[in-house]
Amino acid sequence: MNRHLKTLELDKILNMLANESASEAAAALALDIRPKNSLSEVIKLLKQTEDAYILCGRFGSPSFGSIKDISNPAARAAAGGTLSTTELLKIAELLRVVRGVKQWRENCAGTESVLDSKFSGLIPNKFLEEAISGAIISEDEISDKASPTLSDIRRKMKNASLKARDILNNLIHSSSYKKYLQDAIVTIRDGRYVVPVKAECRSNVSGLVHDTSASGSTIFIEPMGVVEANNEIKVLKSKEETEIERILSSLSANAGAFAKQLTDNYGLLIELDLIFAKASLAYKLKASMPVMNDKGIIDLKQARHPLIDSSCVVPINIRLGGEFSTLVITGPNTGGKTVTLKTIGLLTVMAMCGLMVPAGDNSRLSVFEHILADIGDEQSIEQSLSTFSAHMTNISNILKTADDKSLALIDELGAGTDPVEGAALATAILEKLASAGTVTAATTHYAELKAFALNTPGVENACCEFDIATLRPTYKLSIGVPGRSNAFAISKKLGIDNEIIERSKRLVSRDDRKFESVVRNLEKKRQELEQQLNAAEEKALLAQKAIEDAEKKALKIRQQSEAEIQRAREEAAQIVSRTRAAAYGIMESVEKAQREKRLSDEDKLKLKAQIKNIENTADPIAKAKNDDYKPPRKLKQGDTVLIFDIDKKATVLELDPDGKTALVQAGIIKTRVSINNLRLLDSQSKDKPKPSHRSVTRQTDVRAVTEVDLRGMTATEAIMELENAIDSAILSGINQITIIHGKGTGVLRREVHSFLKGCRTVKDYRLGVYGEGESGVTIATLK
């Protein structure tokens, strides 16, 4: 990493990124990241980070486990070598992670990503994964299930061991041998079962000597009775090792067959691990996606230095490279000038590394070919360089490299030498950088540079604000206004005698005093404009909120209106349905009378009553309540009146002799209306009386019914429909329901009656009478 990037502390950011990585290989890649100077490549890297950021936000982060580098083992397996258990377990772990990451992406359905090409390149191999995991338990243990042969060998070894131990247990517990033993135990030497015998009793125990204790007092003897069993165990042990070698060789051959696939999987996992580490770092830094360009334009909104504690960092707004290519930052010491430079540089290189930056949305950054920084005191005792000399050495190198594709960041330009010469030198350096087209930000205390920025096109002043009342910096950056040193104000606050302060002011040249006055006035104007801008923004927010509230209310009204219309339609459909059913009943009665060729007066009265009932049912307009209206005079022919209950204007044509009704004309309609329902209108008046109440009958629940038609249904369908109708009627407060089942064969009527008989919510029921549908309907009274 070059000196300029270290000066901007990119290495610390990359260390933070490495800590977010799951694998050592991805962490190593993170530390090796360097800024890219190709706009298309930077945009590609940022898009990968942004998509990972979005996926993590919606579905959580994928697990990359503890994957290890399997490149060398895979290559050795492909060449026919046999891998160790450790190497094979690494391959199995890699395949498990591949399968898990692949499944995680499949679960993120419906979200496209530029990372899909990397996810699709991952190829799980569950066969090889399970073959290794099933055969190898740990680095030191092979499973009995690795092969039938190994299982058989181990079973025989177990039996032989039990046989040998049984013989030895009998021997050590024997009263004749017990006195010769050092301890009544069975142990192992050179893979064979032995017993510890006292050295002086060696001749009393026949067998093969395998070892002697360090003191020489104990001899480990393999009794002759177990030699054969031990020999069998030894042979089986050799067979076990041969079979294990064969198993490892077979697994290695399988791994070698997929060596390229394994290597590709490893490479893709490391890349994805690094990309998702960038996304994780973005969440920790509360970062956002910058808009990139290659025109040298920087426009950071609410930018924060990522290495400063988020609880105390002050966000700043920075513009550079657009209207002006050079920014001269002034202000008091410890006011945040150096942090501003580092923020510009560090956020730029972070974006060029494909990292999201801690700044507000829609912040703009540029890609540069060279990032050049001279920040901090770099004096060197070994090289006999003073602060000034060290800075000039760095600036000399910057001037040799800088071009129109460069970003230069210089701290305390011209400091460390004679103020007059330093200011002149600083001005010349800025002129040189500006003529080269370099985007430059520099900090200084020189008043000459403030004037240079005011008078030079393409150069702008900026200042880090300082609160005189508290003698503390605010760390806010203001562009367009040169900073003030505030030396006199600070000195006065700190107790310097007022006489000295006044004398100092007189010693300052007239031009400098005039300049300070201009700066003071500019600062005052800026603060006033900032207050006005804040007030305007607050009003704009209130106006926007009012518009949103109005839109919400309008939407709610539209929805309520649509709901009202829908209820009215359903209500109308119910009225039509009831009227149609009643009409059918009348038609049936008339047809019956015609068939019987008789229609008594009583029948006529019933028919008239039914027709009247139909009229009342079909008319949704309820009569208006009487408002105790008293006409100013008696009505006469030609008067303009209002038909009160329907709110309709009409003209009186004639009055009936009884004085109770009148013939009126409303439009083309002539009708007789009760005198009490008429309101006299004054033809000279623009206002007409309004009915005090006008209501429309409406069902409290659009699902409520007073009748249900079951004709044409099966018994099961009819009972289900009847249950729904009864439930709806009860909820609506209706205590009587008409069930139309027709006459037919009577099967549907019997099923309905059977249901009603056992229904707890039905009080009683009966067949319809003449005019109700007779035996074709059933009237049920609800509880």
Side-chain angles (χ1 to χ4, degrees):
M1 183 175 293
N2 67 45
R3 181 183 58 80
H4 300 289
L5 297 180
K6 279 191 174 181
T7 299
L8 296 173
E9 301 177 293
L10 177 62
D11 54 328
K12 295 180 181 179
I13 297 297
L14 296 184
N15 276 318
M16 293 172 64
L17 177 61
N19 291 334
E20 297 299 321
S21 305
S23 61
E24 293 179 1
L29 282 180
L31 296 175
D32 287 338
I33 289 177
R34 296 296 178 269
K36 307 295 182 183
N37 51 28
S38 166
L39 178 61
S40 59
E41 192 171 1
V42 169
I43 291 175
K44 177 183 175 183
L45 292 173
L46 283 171
K47 181 59 178 171
Q48 290 177 349
T49 305
E50 183 185 37
D51 282 9
Y53 182 87
I54 293 170
L55 288 172
C56 288
R58 293 188 60 185
F59 306 103
S61 301
S63 173
F64 292 98
S66 56
I67 51 176
K68 306 293 183 183
D69 188 356
I70 50 81
S71 303
N72 288 335
R76 207 150 38 82
T82 299
L83 304 182
S84 66
T85 55
T86 301
E87 292 170 327
L88 287 169
L89 286 174
K90 287 180 181 178
I91 291 174
E93 173 65 11
L94 173 75
L95 292 173
R96 185 193 65 77
V97 173
V98 167
R99 181 165 51 85
V101 171
K102 191 84 171 180
Q103 288 176 349
W104 177 87
R105 183 64 186 103
E106 290 170 357
N107 292 335
C108 305
T111 305
E112 293 185 1
S113 168
V114 297
L115 300 176
D116 286 344
S117 59
K118 297 186 184 296
F119 282 109
S120 61
L122 294 174
I123 304 175
N125 191 332
K126 197 171 183 180
F127 165 75
L128 180 58
E129 177 193 344
E130 291 181 346
I132 296 173
S133 301
I136 304 174
I137 296 174
S138 67
E139 295 179 358
D140 303 317
E141 186 177 0
I142 303 296
S143 172
D144 293 349
K145 299 177 182 178
S147 75
T149 302
L150 182 63
S151 177
D152 184 58
I153 291 171
R154 287 182 171 174
R155 179 180 55 78
K156 290 178 179 178
M157 287 177 63
K158 184 177 180 181
N159 291 337
S161 296
L162 289 174
K163 180 180 177 182
R165 291 187 70 86
D166 286 344
I167 294 173
L168 291 174
N169 281 332
N170 291 333
L171 185 147
I172 63 177
H173 291 101
S174 169
S175 57
S176 57
Y177 279 96
K178 194 172 184 180
K179 57 187 176 181
Y180 304 130
L181 301 179
Q182 195 72 262
D183 293 298
I185 59 172
V186 176
T187 186
I188 296 176
R189 288 292 185 275
D190 297 329
R192 304 178 74 89
Y193 288 105
V194 296
V195 292
V197 179
K198 295 175 182 178
E200 62 272 19
C201 301
R202 163 68 185 86
S203 59
N204 300 106
V205 179
S206 61
L208 303 176
V209 177
H210 283 279
D211 198 4
T212 305
S213 67
S215 63
S217 61
T218 303
I219 298 174
F220 296 95
I221 296 177
E222 177 186 4
M224 295 305 298
V226 296
V227 169
E228 184 178 350
N230 277 333
N231 287 341
E232 183 180 358
I233 292 172
K234 197 76 172 177
V235 172
L236 289 172
K237 186 69 176 175
S238 176
K239 289 182 179 181
E240 179 191 34
E241 292 174 355
T242 302
E243 179 61 15
I244 289 174
E245 185 68 21
R246 187 197 67 76
I247 291 169
L248 295 178
S249 178
S250 175
L251 291 174
S252 300
N254 288 336
F258 298 101
K260 186 176 186 310
Q261 184 186 101
L262 292 170
T263 305
D264 291 346
N265 278 340
Y266 175 71
L268 288 171
L269 280 180
I270 296 304
E271 289 181 33
L272 287 170
D273 186 6
L274 179 59
I275 292 169
F276 278 91
K278 291 180 179 180
S280 177
L281 181 62
Y283 273 105
K284 285 194 173 182
L285 297 178
K286 298 179 181 177
S288 67
M289 178 77 166
V291 179
M292 300 302 297
N293 66 87
D294 57 0
K295 308 297 182 185
I297 298 174
I298 296 173
D299 186 4
L300 291 170
K301 302 171 182 177
Q302 298 295 298
R304 307 175 305 279
H305 195 288
L307 298 177
I308 299 178
D309 187 353
S310 59
S311 63
C312 58
V313 65
V314 177
I316 56 175
N317 297 324
I318 309 169
R319 288 183 291 112
L320 181 60
E323 309 154 19
F324 48 88
S325 61
T326 302
L327 189 65
V328 177
I329 305 172
T330 52
N333 289 326
T334 69
K337 299 190 301 298
T338 302
V339 171
T340 298
L341 287 186
K342 286 191 172 184
T343 301
I344 296 171
L346 184 54
L347 267 57
T348 297
V349 295
M350 283 177 64
M352 292 170 64
C353 291
L355 294 168
M356 296 168 70
V357 298
D361 292 336
N362 298 317
S363 291
R364 301 174 70 191
L365 286 168
S366 178
V367 172
F368 296 96
E369 288 188 6
H370 305 289
I371 306 290
L372 309 168
D374 178 53
I375 301 173
D377 186 357
E378 297 188 16
Q379 62 179 327
S380 170
I381 296 176
E382 293 179 359
Q383 298 180 15
S384 301
L385 293 176
S386 66
T387 300
F388 177 76
S389 299
H391 280 306
M392 285 302 106
T393 301
N394 292 337
I395 290 172
S396 174
N397 294 328
I398 288 174
L399 290 173
K400 292 176 184 177
T401 307
D403 56 16
D404 60 347
K405 298 292 184 182
S406 302
L407 171 65
L409 305 168
I410 305 175
D411 192 23
E412 298 294 350
L413 180 58
T417 188
D418 178 77
V420 175
E421 293 179 355
L425 186 58
T427 302
I429 291 170
L430 290 181
E431 286 178 342
K432 176 64 176 176
L433 290 171
S435 65
T438 305
V439 177
T440 306
T443 67
T444 185
H445 286 284
Y446 293 138
E448 290 85 351
L449 288 185
K450 302 176 189 178
F452 169 71
L454 284 173
N455 299 321
T456 307
V459 183
E460 187 62 89
N461 271 303
C463 68
C464 292
E465 297 178 7
F466 191 86
D467 189 343
I468 298 297
T470 61
L471 294 181
R472 291 183 179 178
T474 64
Y475 302 107
K476 291 182 180 179
L477 183 71
S478 297
I479 294 177
V481 181
R484 299 169 59 198
S485 63
N486 298 306
F488 295 149
I490 294 173
S491 300
K492 187 174 181 179
K493 271 281 189 183
L494 295 176
I496 300 297
D497 190 73
N498 191 56
E499 182 180 348
I500 297 175
I501 299 297
E502 293 301 322
R503 173 60 179 161
S504 300
K505 288 181 179 180
R506 288 194 297 271
L507 291 174
V508 176
S509 69
R510 181 181 178 187
D511 289 342
D512 287 341
R513 289 199 301 270
K514 189 175 180 181
F515 181 77
E516 283 293 323
S517 177
V518 170
V519 170
R520 186 166 53 253
N521 291 334
L522 283 173
E523 177 66 12
K524 184 178 179 181
K525 288 289 184 184
R526 185 196 65 78
Q527 291 177 354
E528 290 175 357
L529 289 173
E530 187 173 344
Q531 290 174 358
Q532 293 174 7
L533 179 61
N534 291 337
E537 288 177 349
E538 288 179 3
K539 290 180 180 178
L541 289 174
L542 290 174
Q544 181 64 28
K545 189 175 184 303
I547 291 172
E548 292 175 356
D549 291 343
E551 289 176 350
K552 288 179 181 177
K553 289 179 180 177
L555 177 61
K556 186 176 181 181
I557 290 171
R558 284 198 299 272
Q559 291 173 343
Q560 289 175 345
S561 176
E562 290 171 0
E564 284 290 325
I565 292 171
Q566 181 63 24
R567 282 197 292 269
R569 286 174 180 165
E570 293 176 357
E571 183 181 344
Q574 291 179 6
I575 292 172
V576 170
S577 176
R578 289 196 295 270
T579 305
R580 184 183 294 115
Y584 286 155
I586 293 174
M587 290 171 62
E588 189 176 345
S589 299
V590 172
E591 289 173 357
K592 182 179 178 182
Q594 287 176 346
R595 288 195 300 271
E596 297 177 356
K597 295 182 179 180
R598 65 176 183 81
L599 190 63
S600 65
D601 293 338
E602 184 181 352
D603 293 334
K604 292 178 182 178
L605 289 174
K606 286 183 179 180
L607 287 173
K608 286 182 180 180
Q610 290 177 0
I611 293 170
K612 185 66 175 177
N613 186 44
I614 290 175
E615 290 176 352
N616 293 335
T617 302
D619 183 10
I621 306 299
K623 290 183 178 180
K625 293 182 180 179
N626 188 3
D627 59 356
D628 299 325
Y629 172 77
K630 294 181 180 180
R633 60 174 173 81
K634 290 186 177 181
L635 298 179
K636 62 182 180 179
Q637 189 174 352
D639 282 342
T640 302
V641 295
L642 179 74
I643 305 175
F644 179 64
D645 59 356
I646 63 173
D647 194 22
K648 191 71 176 175
K649 192 175 180 180
T651 302
V652 178
L653 298 181
E654 64 179 44
L655 297 170
D656 290 347
D658 58 7
K660 293 182 179 180
T661 58
L663 180 65
V664 300
Q665 182 169 358
I668 62 170
I669 304 297
K670 294 181 181 180
T671 183
R672 289 195 178 278
V673 183
S674 172
I675 295 293
N676 293 332
N677 195 30
L678 297 177
R679 303 290 184 265
L680 181 62
L681 296 179
D682 184 359
S683 58
Q684 303 293 326
S685 174
K686 295 182 180 178
D687 300 326
K688 62 180 181 179
K690 298 288 183 181
S692 59
H693 295 85
R694 181 171 181 266
S695 60
V696 178
T697 58
R698 180 179 291 117
Q699 296 291 343
T700 57
D701 188 336
V702 298
R703 297 173 296 172
V705 293
T706 58
E707 66 181 25
V708 57
D709 191 347
L710 308 179
R711 289 176 295 183
M713 299 182 184
T714 64
T716 302
E717 293 172 341
I719 296 304
M720 291 177 63
E721 185 68 20
L722 179 56
E723 282 182 327
N724 291 335
I726 291 174
D727 290 343
S728 178
I730 291 173
L731 290 173
S732 302
I734 296 171
N735 60 7
Q736 183 173 291
I737 185 170
T738 301
I739 306 164
I740 305 172
H741 44 64
K743 297 177 180 178
T745 60
V747 174
L748 190 56
R749 181 177 67 246
R750 286 196 299 273
E751 291 293 333
V752 168
H753 287 186
S754 177
F755 171 77
L756 294 175
K757 186 176 181 180
C759 184
R760 296 180 179 179
T761 56
V762 176
K763 185 176 182 181
D764 55 47
Y765 60 90
R766 61 176 175 81
L767 286 173
V769 298
Y770 181 79
E772 292 179 327
E774 299 179 350
S775 61
V777 301
T778 295
I779 310 298
T781 303
L782 306 179
K783 294 180 181 178

